[in-house]
């Protein structure tokens, strides 16, 4: 099954990674795979595909995001990933 993210989803996720996870050593290796894919998707939604590990990592990150001002985008992105 293919996950179809929008450029807005990708921008939100890239921002989330930058703000919440960019200094975490534990997820450093996964970020090296996921961030370039999200950057490609933000320019062209069909330019890259997320692997299971990417989706799992991003869903875990979404669980930690509690900002109410991005609640709608978070939920739309979460639905796309699921």
């Amino acid at each position: 099954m293919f996950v179809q993210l929008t450029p807005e989803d990708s921008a939100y996720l890239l921002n989330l990674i930058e703000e919440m996870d960019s200094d975490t050593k534990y997820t450093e290796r996964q970020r090296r795979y996921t961030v370039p894919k999200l950057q490609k998707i933000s320019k062209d939604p069909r330019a890259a595909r997320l692997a299971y590990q990417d989706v799992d990592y991003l869903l875990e990150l979404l669980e930690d995001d509690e900002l109410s001002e991005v609640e709608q985008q978070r939920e739309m992105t979460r639905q796309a990933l699921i």
Side-chain angles (χ1 to χ4, degrees):
M1 182 145 171
F2 176 62
V3 174
Q4 184 70 49
L5 295 177
T6 66
E8 293 81 14
D9 293 332
S10 297
Y12 164 69
L13 290 167
L14 286 166
N15 187 50
L16 196 61
I17 291 168
E18 179 63 33
E19 289 186 10
M20 293 180 58
D21 201 46
S22 61
D23 296 330
T24 306
K25 284 288 183 198
Y26 178 74
T27 57
E28 183 176 19
R29 185 171 183 214
Q30 185 61 52
R31 281 194 314 273
R32 279 190 259 143
Y33 293 106
T34 306
V35 169
K37 292 176 188 178
L38 289 173
Q39 289 170 334
K40 288 178 183 178
I41 291 169
S42 69
K43 293 176 184 153
D44 177 5
R46 292 173 290 215
R49 291 190 177 197
L50 297 174
Y52 170 78
Q53 294 87 345
D54 299 314
V55 172
D56 195 44
Y57 163 66
L58 293 170
L59 285 172
E60 285 184 26
L61 199 58
L62 285 174
E63 288 178 16
D64 294 336
D65 183 15
E66 297 176 351
L67 291 176
S68 60
E69 56 267 17
V70 293
E71 188 171 355
Q72 183 178 4
Q73 182 63 54
R74 178 175 52 247
E75 187 56 31
M76 290 187 312
T77 303
R78 191 175 76 72
Q79 288 299 320
L81 289 170
I82 291 175

